[in-house]
Amino acid sequence: MSNNHLMEFDNEKTTDVLEKSKQLGLLEKDLVEMYRTMISIRLFEEMADKLYALGKVHGTMHLSAGQEGVAVGTGKVMGAEDYLLNHHRGHGHFIASGADIKKMMAEFLGKETGYCKGRGGSMHIADVEANNLGANGIVGGGIQLAAGVGLAIKMMGEERVVLVIFGDGAANQGILYESFNMAAIWDLPVVYLCENNQYGMSADVTRVSSKVPFKERATAHGIPGYYIDGNDVLAVYETMANAVEHARSRKGPVFVEAQTYRYFGHSKSDRNLYRTRDEIEEWKHRDPIERFQKLLVDANIITEEDIEKIYQEMSQLIDEAVEFAENSPEPDVSEVTEWVYA
Amino acid sequence: MPEITYRQAIHDAMVEEMRRDGRVFLIGEDIGTYGGAFGVSAGMLEEFGPGRIVETPISEEAIIGAAAGAAMVGMRPIAEMMFMDFILLTMEPLVNQAAKARYMFGGKATVPMVVRMPGGSGTGAAAQHSQSLETILMHIPGIKVVAPSTSYDAKGLLISSIRDLNPICFVEHKLLYKSKGEVPEEEYAIPLGVADVKREGRDLTLVASGIMVHKSLDAAQIVAEEDGISVEVVDPRTLRPLDVDTIAKSVKKTGRLLVVHEAVKTAGWAGEVMASVSETPSWDYLDAPMRRLTGKDVPIPYNRHLEAAAVPQVDDIVREVRAIVNTQY
């Protein structure tokens, strides 16, 4: 059994959602909205998988089902003016940051109406005008840019922060340490979020990493580091709120590592040979959506009836996005060489 | 017009653009008090301060990544690579990030950045500090490659590069830093993608860039005096986009083409020039096979005689010009 380094968070686990949300300044409607967003991500990913199975997707995809707690806890914290650098398993973070699901689905299907006019696909969804600087097909790709975005924010004297999200795989790319060093010596407003889902493709994080958790590598650079339960959406929100506040108040970079798990394989070629069915099932007992749902139900914030209604609404939203994408035009092949240069 | 060095011209272009536009800044290793490894940024720290003369750790990948990130959100970075060879450490942010962001995001991003890099041999710095890697950069859609040969071109092209909205690789030849040339005192810019005829001639078109322009001009003078051969020297100035029209027009006039570069032969840009000319109607006007004279397919050696033998020299160019013009086909 792998994952023997996993931390238990019993002491810090959110058990009383009312108490916790009060402490965090979240209203009941915020909690319901967060829950709805988590559902929309899960349904988006399941639809993406289905569309692929139906042969409607030309390229590859990297699904984040199981990681909704990290996405929504983080997205709720970030301001519209903050920059986002995302990783290749990024659908959830985009949805949580308020992206238009129709445009995402259209990009996924390679249509002209997609965020990148069908030039990028799932791995490169970006919305630069909305400060979303893109998902990245290179593991650690966003890390390369993060210090520069932070430097620009500092030079322009702005109050924004840049959030760069990457996985445990990227934590072993050398650029992370060049970036840590630069961000630390220049006190840049960079929030590093390592979404540790236990595997870099098939590589068990403990097998390929000299030392875990990675937060110790951040603290070794003088950067405050946190290790949290990524499947506890309110714990994510709490830590990310503190982290963003730290960066925004010009105290320099900060690092958060969120422990989580992906249910689907790495990409469409994955046959899950490197992990057991039992392991996947075990993680489903820590499912971020079910945990949050139980808290909300126990606190009488939502009822079973509400849940059904939310699923229906979100499902309809996804269906509409698919319909929009399918009815959208293909890019004009005569424009294949557009936008190489500005 | 006053004469200034190539180094001064590059320095002046940066200073003038930084005074004009608060978004422009310089980032790189030892560019502050030290003034840059080749002294190009000397004095800039005093004028602009550490906020805009951003001295970095020795982290080339992070320097180019940072430049790209800053450019994407509205700044105009100029990144200095201490040696062109070090650009190889930065291929990931340069090629996979900066060059592709615009296209990959459906035309919604711009990455206005300049990477300045001293290339070329002749200083006894051996294999890892002497390369001419222009072709590697030219191969990437999204990147423009500029390689000035004179003070005038260096200043005018750098100003255009800083104002351009794309990632620019600006290749400086380290042996040219001390060379002098006339540069007007008033502001000017040279558009990218426009070649310059450095010497007019009738018998052969010689395409060369960087330091090879100077060697080619010397060779052209020798064959003019000794053989009565009239060579037209064309300096593309920008290698990508390449001004094929100007080159093809010259070939149509002279009927012969020789391309000279310091970079190694195999897959070097001489091949690109020759292929491009062969695709134009000028091909029909050729009186001789097109030829290239390039660096040998070796790493640059240390020993001064070996080093000189590895790249084209004036005598080699003279010999090649004579061979092409005097052979009957």
Side-chain angles (χ1 to χ4, degrees):
Chain A
M1 185 74 193
S2 62
N3 300 320
N4 54 9
H5 71 289
L6 288 177
M7 288 195 190
E8 292 300 333
F9 296 91
D10 288 341
N11 296 336
E12 304 147 37
K13 192 150 77 177
T14 305
T15 49
D16 183 340
V17 73
L18 289 173
E19 171 73 26
K20 187 78 170 181
S21 58
K22 207 169 133 193
Q23 181 197 329
L24 297 175
L26 291 170
L27 305 173
E28 280 191 20
K29 69 173 174 62
D30 294 318
L31 301 177
V32 175
E33 181 210 309
M34 288 167 81
Y35 175 71
R36 288 167 67 94
T37 307
M38 290 172 87
I39 303 296
S40 66
I41 295 171
R42 179 68 56 92
L43 294 178
F44 185 97
E45 299 297 55
E46 287 175 358
M47 178 58 79
D49 186 56
K50 187 171 151 192
L51 291 171
Y52 177 73
L54 290 171
K56 294 187 178 182
V57 182
H58 173 57
T60 194
M61 62 192 176
H62 304 88
L63 303 177
S64 67
Q67 305 181 195
E68 294 87 348
V70 186
V72 173
T74 301
K76 182 75 180 161
V77 170
M78 305 311 296
E81 73 287 359
D82 294 325
Y83 291 113
L84 169 62
L85 288 161
N86 203 346
H87 53 58
H88 60 278
R89 198 176 304 287
H91 298 162
H93 288 289
F94 287 141
I95 293 172
S97 72
D100 182 338
I101 289 177
K102 285 183 178 167
K103 286 188 186 173
M104 283 181 64
M105 196 64 87
E107 188 59 36
F108 186 50
L109 295 191
K111 297 302 182 74
E112 182 69 17
T113 54
Y115 269 117
C116 308
K117 297 178 185 287
R119 270 69 172 176
S122 161
M123 252 191 298
H124 302 298
I125 293 173
D127 186 6
V128 177
E129 278 173 21
N131 301 320
N132 166 358
L133 304 178
N136 215 298
I138 303 298
V139 172
I143 295 168
Q144 300 162 20
L145 306 168
V149 177
L151 183 63
I153 293 169
K154 191 178 171 187
M155 284 177 159
M156 295 190 236
E158 297 172 334
E159 302 224 321
R160 331 178 193 219
V161 305
V162 53
L163 168 67
V164 54
I165 313 170
F166 49 94
D168 43 287
N172 285 324
Q173 291 275 31
I175 187 66
L176 181 60
Y177 306 100
E178 290 190 22
S179 183
F180 273 170
N181 187 47
M182 273 190 178
I185 59 173
W186 296 335
D187 290 328
L188 301 180
V190 182
V191 179
Y192 295 94
L193 173 58
C194 176
E195 199 165 4
N196 182 347
N197 68 8
Q198 317 306 321
Y199 292 95
M201 199 156 159
S202 70
D204 184 324
V205 63
T206 57
R207 176 166 62 80
V208 298
S209 309
S210 61
K211 195 163 193 322
V212 284
F214 294 115
K215 73 156 188 172
E216 292 181 18
R217 300 185 184 180
T219 54
H221 286 79
I223 298 173
Y226 303 91
Y227 189 94
I228 56 168
D229 181 356
N231 285 10
D232 181 340
V233 65
L234 293 182
V236 174
Y237 178 85
E238 181 176 20
T239 304
M240 289 304 294
N242 291 334
V244 168
E245 176 52 30
H246 176 97
R248 207 185 295 288
S249 56
R250 308 204 174 180
K251 291 179 187 155
V254 58
F255 176 92
V256 177
E257 178 174 0
Q259 174 178 296
T260 186
Y261 197 78
R262 66 168 149 79
Y263 299 149
F264 287 104
H266 162 73
S267 69
K268 66 187 192 186
S269 66
D270 191 340
R271 288 182 293 142
N272 276 322
L273 299 174
Y274 52 89
R275 57 183 185 173
T276 62
R277 223 175 263 280
D278 287 348
E279 182 186 299
I280 300 171
E281 286 310 310
E282 190 194 310
W283 269 93
K284 287 187 175 171
H285 292 300
R286 304 187 190 111
D287 185 78
I289 296 179
E290 285 187 15
R291 279 170 63 180
F292 192 43
Q293 178 180 297
K294 184 170 184 310
L295 290 172
L296 295 176
V297 170
D298 288 351
N300 294 317
I301 295 170
I302 55 170
T303 63
E304 294 294 337
E305 211 171 70
D306 293 331
I307 293 170
E308 200 174 316
K309 198 163 153 239
I310 289 169
Y311 266 93
Q312 273 172 8
E313 284 173 16
M314 292 298 116
S315 200
Q316 195 184 334
L317 201 70
I318 302 295
D319 288 343
E320 283 169 11
V322 173
E323 196 185 333
F324 170 79
E326 291 199 309
N327 292 333
S328 288
E330 298 278 342
D332 185 340
V333 291
S334 72
E335 292 181 350
V336 68
T337 56
E338 290 284 313
W339 305 308
V340 178
Y341 292 97
Chain B
M1 266 193 279
E3 280 209 340
I4 62 171
T5 61
Y6 183 87
R7 173 192 287 121
Q8 188 69 40
I10 294 164
H11 170 95
D12 290 355
M14 290 195 291
V15 168
E16 286 171 26
E17 286 302 288
M18 283 182 67
R19 285 178 190 156
R20 190 186 61 81
D21 184 347
R23 298 169 300 175
V24 180
F25 71 96
L26 181 65
I27 182 168
E29 295 157 1
D30 305 294
I31 57 173
T33 309
Y34 199 99
F38 291 91
V40 181
S41 59
M44 289 177 70
L45 179 66
E46 286 76 3
E47 177 169 354
F48 298 104
R52 294 179 70 194
I53 303 297
V54 182
E55 288 202 84
T56 68
I58 301 173
S59 304
E60 283 85 7
E61 186 180 0
I63 292 168
I64 300 304
M72 281 177 75
V73 298
M75 298 300 285
R76 296 293 183 102
I78 305 168
E80 178 173 301
M81 282 288 109
M82 191 181 288
F83 287 86
M84 185 184 208
D85 312 68
F86 305 166
I87 199 79
L88 297 171
L89 288 153
T90 77
M91 282 291 131
E92 164 48 37
L94 185 63
V95 177
N96 275 331
Q97 310 298 333
K100 292 184 175 50
R102 182 170 186 79
Y103 190 85
M104 204 159 68
F105 299 162
K108 291 173 187 164
T110 51
V111 192
M113 61 186 275
V114 178
V115 187
R116 293 182 32 245
M117 56 191 92
S121 65
T123 63
Q128 296 170 338
H129 290 74
S130 303
Q131 293 172 86
S132 300
L133 298 169
E134 304 86 275
T135 308
I136 290 177
L137 304 167
M138 287 169 68
H139 196 60
I140 309 301
I143 289 177
K144 295 182 183 178
V145 182
V146 182
S149 64
T150 65
S151 300
Y152 178 82
D153 289 349
K155 185 174 179 189
L157 290 167
L158 184 52
I159 286 172
S160 289
S161 297
I162 293 167
R163 295 176 186 177
D164 199 274
L165 289 172
N166 300 285
I168 312 278
C169 291
F170 194 86
V171 184
E172 300 162 10
H173 198 290
K174 53 179 84 85
L175 291 186
L176 291 177
Y177 281 130
K178 289 180 185 165
S179 68
K180 281 190 167 180
E182 288 188 337
V183 172
E185 283 179 57
E186 61 273 18
E187 186 184 311
Y188 71 101
I190 299 171
L192 304 185
V194 181
D196 185 40
V197 177
K198 296 291 191 211
R199 178 188 174 114
E200 292 196 6
R202 300 176 311 273
D203 300 327
L204 177 140
T205 299
L206 198 165
V207 176
S209 88
I211 194 156
M212 289 301 156
V213 171
H214 300 275
K215 292 186 181 178
S216 298
L217 288 169
D218 289 350
Q221 188 60 32
I222 291 169
V223 295
E225 288 170 8
E226 297 183 5
D227 309 77
I229 297 172
S230 168
V231 173
E232 178 148 303
V233 178
V234 180
D235 177 359
R237 300 195 290 191
T238 305
L239 296 172
R240 181 182 183 135
L242 186 65
D243 182 359
V244 176
D245 286 351
T246 298
I247 297 167
K249 203 172 136 200
S250 175
V251 171
K252 186 175 172 183
K253 178 173 75 174
T254 65
R256 297 181 184 90
L257 176 65
L258 170 64
V259 188
V260 179
H261 63 55
E262 182 170 337
V264 301
K265 184 175 187 175
T266 303
W269 58 262
E272 183 64 30
V273 171
M274 287 154 56
S276 298
V277 168
S278 74
E279 289 171 330
T280 71
S282 295
W283 181 82
D284 224 11
Y285 291 80
L286 283 168
D287 297 326
M290 297 180 285
R291 302 271 299 170
R292 57 190 155 160
L293 179 65
T294 68
K296 293 186 170 62
D297 274 322
V298 292
I300 298 296
Y302 171 67
N303 172 278
R304 75 170 72 237
H305 306 297
L306 295 177
E307 183 184 32
V311 301
Q313 303 299 341
V314 175
D315 289 351
D316 303 318
I317 302 172
V318 167
R319 200 176 314 121
E320 195 67 30
V321 168
R322 284 175 179 156
I324 296 170
V325 174
N326 295 333
T327 303
Q328 295 300 315
Y329 294 95

